[in-house]
Each structure stands twice: as C-alpha cells, then as structure tokens.
Amino acid sequence: MARHRFGGVADYVISLGTDNAATLQPGASVTCWNLPVGGTQYTDLTQSDGATAIEGGILTADSTGAVPEFYGPDGIRSLYLDANDGSGPRRATAAMDLDADLTAIQNAAIAKSAVTTAGDLLVATGSAAVTRLAVGTVGQVLAPDPVAAGGVRWGAGWRRRDLPDPLLAETLSSEAPTITLTGPQATSSIPSAQSLLAPDTGPFLYLGAGGFQYGSTFPDTTLYLPTSRYPNTYASGQSNWAVEFATDASQFEIMFKYISTATRYRCTIDGRALTDVPQSTGAASAGSRYVLKFAFASAMPRRIRFDFTTMPFGGLFLPPGATAWKSTGRGGRLAVLGDSITDGSGQNTGAGVGTWLYRAARLLGCTDAWDQARGGTGYITPGSYAVLGDRVALDVVPYSIDRLIVWAGYNDSGGDQGAIGAAADSLYAAAKTAVAVGGDIYVIGCWDPTGAPTSTITATNTTIKASAQAARLPFLDPLSGEVYTADGTLVATQGAWITSQNKTGYIGADAVHPTDAGHAYLARRIVEALKALMPA
C-alpha cells in the first residue's frame, strides 16, 4: 500500500468572527480522524516530503489558515480534520493524488454492456478475468464443469439424489386391465363412445420422436408416425416412439395399424409397465386398422403411456362422460445416436423400445427417450443408411436434445483407425453445437459381445476414447468399465460389461446382439456409469 497526499490546496481552518463573519485561523492545530464523531486519531502522518514524521500527528495551519500539505497513513484515501482539540466539528477531506487510483478503477471496471439479458452471470475464467454466462432455460441448473470457460454451465442437471428408486422404476403395474382386440375396423367397440380423438388434435404428449405427420395414402392418411430419424420420411421405418395422455375413463380404446409381427407395444400406467417387454397386439391382417381396448375395474384418473414399435397410431376412443388431458414429460430429452445395440435386433423383443435405452430412461427418470440409432451404421460405416456424422443435422439439431449419448464403433472396427478418429472428431464437434444450450454429451466406447475383445475392437475403443477426450467429453469404456469425466479424470472402474462368464446369459444366438436379459443388464451398467459422473 502507499501513502496519499492531503491538504495544500483548498483545506482551511475557519472560525466565526465579528458579526458571524468567517475568519481564517492561521497557526491553528489540526488533528486527523477516521470518523466524523469519536473514532481514532491518525498520528502516523508525514510532511510533504513523504518521509519526515509529523510529531504527534498534529498539523499546524499556515499564515493564511490553510492546512499544510501532508501524507496520511498507508492506504488512507479520506479522513476527517478537527481544529478543536478533537471535540469537533470535523470536516471530511479527500486525498489529492487519486488520479492513479481512479485510472486503475476505470481499467478494472466491468462494463455494463458485458451482460445483455436478464439472468446473465459473470463468471471467472481465471485470475482477474471474467466472461458472460448467458442465462439458462427454464428447468436448467447451474453445475460445475471443469471444461467450461467459466468453470460452470447451465445444464439439465442430473443428480443422483433426484433419480427414481430402481426398484420402483422397474416394478410392473399392479393393475390388470382387460385387453381386447377388435377388427380389422376403425370404429369403437365401446357402447356410445365419444368421437375419435385424432392424433393431431387429441390430448397427446408425443415422446421419443418428433416431426409427426399423417401418411399420404389411405389408411395412412388417418395414422400418425414421426419423421425425426434418418432418412426422415413417413415410410422409412420410424418405428420406435411413445405417446402419453391422462384420463379418468374406466375403459378406452386406441386405434392403430397392424404392419407385421414386429408391431408391438408396451403399456405403462402411472409410471409402471404392464409387461416387462413390448407385447404383441394379437392382430393378423397386415395393413389393416384395429382398435385395442383397455378396461379397468373402476374409473379414476390415470396417466397412460404407450411405447410403440412399428405401430402407426390412429387416435383414442373414450366412453360417454370420460375426459382425457395431456400429461407432462419429465427428466428432459435423452437421445442415442448409434447402431443396432440401441436400435434393437432379432435377439430382443420389441426392437428399439425393447433395448437398454428405454429401460435406462426409466431408471434415470426420463420419459422422453429418443432412439436415433440405426443398425449397421457407425462413424465411418453407413450400412443401409448414413454414417453418424451425416445424421446430426437431421436427427439432432432440430430437436433440442438435452442429453446425447453417442454409442457406435462395432461396425467400424475393421476399418482404418485414422479415419475412425477423424470421423469421431468431426462428429463430436458437430454434436456440441447440435444439442440444446447446456446439453450434455456422453461417449460410449466400442461394443464387445465376447468378453475377449479382438485387437481391432480394442484399437477402435482406444481411438474413440482419444477423440472423446480431445473433445473434452465424458467417456464410458465398456471394455474395462472405466468412466472418465470431460477433463479426462478417471472417476470409476466398474469392470468389463461383457465377460466370458456372463456372455451366455446376455448375448443372443447371433453372438453379437444382447437378448432381453442382456438389455436389462446393459441398462443397469450404463446408468451406474452415468451416475459416477453425476453430483450427489
């Protein structure tokens, strides 16, 4: 700190003279204080040379009554002068050499223009450096992020304490409605049923997909399907999605189109599924519409959910007097960009709605799980569709994904590692700007169904890990069970997901894809790995 210069310019000792005229008081004794009344006298004063001490800290007014120039104690920029032996009155005075201080303050000041929107924050990017953090969206929370410029960011805010109890999340419903298939027909079997609540006008919350539309030829002109997954057309197999609504009806019917034995559904009542895996509709006439009735023991409010696979939706019938309303989603939007390990195969029931994704979403308390995976694809392998990087613009960008999991590599493992790494680098860079503001991205390494990964599987896993860490993204290693944060810190080692001992219970007859039991197991493993990355 430094001493500051006072007096010598416009500080005078004045008393009241004849007829109350102001009179200068030459030779007056002046003391310096820290408060206008009471307080402590400053005695550590020096003369104008800045070195010679002023005895007792008592100043003497000059022949004109002016307070002489002096230096105050270290760091003192203002004080109170008293010319009446400390009993007052006292008058404040400021240091005369504050130009440098004011310049320093101006240089260190943060301009108001640094923030532009209500809710913006200023966060430190390092020592004596700040930046603007734009306000988050409704529902987001501020969370530490070691790779963010300011060390924090807005995000969807997964926390372990907020996750549902795994037992409750996987417990089947105790309700046992009578399920009746009628058709082929497009009319209700409920006596005096209300008019059809059509897919585009009814009380429906669509989940797991977007871009819903009717088909162009009858009966598809009455049936809803999404178009949010590559190649993004009505007829391109947009097979995995969900719809929710709430109703107080004792019975209701949904209308649908039967396509093949792949047409399946899972019904959930108040958050608990009726069946563990998607079930058959019982229909048989391909291309025809049917109605499926659910009759309960009593009328009461219930939240109903259907997970559909290869099952175009035609609307809802209610009995007289019943009402229905739109439910509310929970847990943000979770999507997976990947291959058939997520999209499903002939080794599991119900295609994508029967894989680990929908199970993991329930364990994470997320009702909006998007299967943006396509079998046979990868970082450099298009299969019958397109490589992952070419699908970001259509499958991720338009849909405000809160949490994106990228899981691929198995179909690439025979390819050039340099090409895989370059494709991964490009994909991760694109994904960062494609997800919702504050969205999370997680990368899972290369799948191994054998418990004894080949050198190409291991090399591909290593390549994906390196690209994820270069992009500063969390990495989940299925070969070792290691979990890394975005800054590359190892936070958990949970063991290989598939081993030579457990593969017979979890891998199907094709020796590649998980069975129903395998997907249930993978859901638990992936959720535990994600939890290692969450705050308590």
Side-chain angles (χ1 to χ4, degrees), residues 338-436:
D339 54 28
S340 58
I341 304 304
T342 300
D343 195 27
S345 72
Q347 307 304 306
N348 72 278
T349 305
V353 299
T355 69
W356 69 271
L357 171 57
Y358 274 63
R359 292 176 180 273
R362 293 196 296 272
L363 292 169
L364 293 167
C366 174
T367 59
D368 196 10
W370 289 47
D371 169 18
Q372 298 296 69
R374 281 296 194 183
T377 67
Y379 289 95
I380 61 172
T381 305
S384 300
Y385 301 99
V387 297
L388 270 59
D390 289 345
R391 286 150 49 193
V392 170
L394 293 177
D395 288 8
V396 180
V397 171
Y399 300 113
S400 297
I401 304 299
D402 296 307
R403 301 177 181 103
L404 176 67
I405 297 175
V406 181
W407 189 9
Y410 184 81
N411 296 314
D412 304 309
S413 58
D416 178 73
Q417 294 300 317
I420 296 171
D425 293 342
S426 177
L427 171 64
Y428 302 154
K432 286 183 175 182
T433 61
V435 297

Side-chain angles (χ1 to χ4, degrees), residues 102-341:
L102 293 174
T103 299
I105 291 171
Q106 289 176 326
N107 291 339
I110 300 172
K112 292 187 293 183
S113 59
V115 290
T116 61
T117 307
D120 282 355
L121 300 175
L122 292 176
V123 297
T125 57
S127 177
V130 297
T131 190
R132 169 181 174 263
L133 178 64
V135 62
T137 58
V138 174
Q140 290 187 322
V141 298
L142 192 64
D145 184 346
V147 303
V152 294
R153 66 178 176 84
W154 293 104
W158 262 337
R159 300 184 303 178
R160 294 196 297 272
R161 75 191 79 169
D162 299 329
L163 301 183
D165 184 306
L167 180 61
L168 297 177
E170 295 193 321
T171 299
L172 296 181
S173 175
S174 59
E175 297 221 46
T178 300
I179 304 174
T180 305
L181 177 73
T182 306
Q185 67 181 52
T187 58
S188 178
S189 66
I190 298 174
S192 303
Q194 300 179 41
S195 298
L196 176 73
L197 295 172
D200 60 338
T201 59
F204 305 120
L205 174 67
Y206 291 101
L207 301 162
F212 285 84
Q213 60 183 238
Y214 290 109
S216 58
T217 59
F218 187 82
D220 293 342
T221 52
T222 67
L223 298 159
Y224 237 26
L225 277 179
T227 59
S228 54
R229 188 171 66 153
Y230 190 89
N232 312 98
T233 63
Y234 185 93
S236 63
Q238 305 290 308
S239 55
N240 307 311
W241 54 285
V243 63
E244 280 193 12
F245 58 90
T247 181
D248 57 4
S250 62
Q251 60 179 326
F252 63 82
E253 283 181 323
I254 60 168
M255 185 170 70
F256 70 96
K257 175 183 174 181
Y258 176 73
I259 294 179
S260 69
T261 55
T263 301
R264 288 179 170 268
Y265 71 94
R266 180 194 293 109
C267 179
T268 300
I269 302 168
D270 291 329
R272 296 192 179 183
L274 293 179
T275 58
D276 185 54
V277 298
Q279 63 189 91
S280 170
T281 62
S285 177
S288 298
R289 291 176 293 174
Y290 288 79
V291 291
L292 198 60
K293 182 167 67 176
F294 293 76
F296 298 88
S298 62
M300 61 179 291
R302 297 176 175 89
R303 189 176 81 250
I304 307 297
R305 175 187 174 103
F306 286 97
D307 298 329
F308 290 137
T309 181
T310 319
M311 191 169 170
F313 176 57
L316 174 69
F317 289 109
L318 295 176
T323 59
W325 57 97
K326 192 173 183 177
S327 60
T328 303
R330 297 163 301 285
R333 179 165 290 169
L334 169 66
V336 178
L337 194 62
D339 54 28
S340 58
I341 304 304

Side-chain angles (χ1 to χ4, degrees), residues 447-496:
W447 169 246
D448 169 57
T450 69
T454 63
S455 59
T456 57
I457 292 288
T458 300
T460 302
N461 188 68
T462 300
T463 297
I464 295 171
K465 176 182 177 182
S467 290
Q469 293 186 334
R472 300 176 76 81
L473 296 176
F475 179 74
L476 285 58
D477 190 337
L479 304 189
S480 66
E482 293 176 338
V483 181
Y484 294 87
T485 63
D487 65 354
T489 301
L490 176 64
V491 292
T493 302
Q494 300 171 337

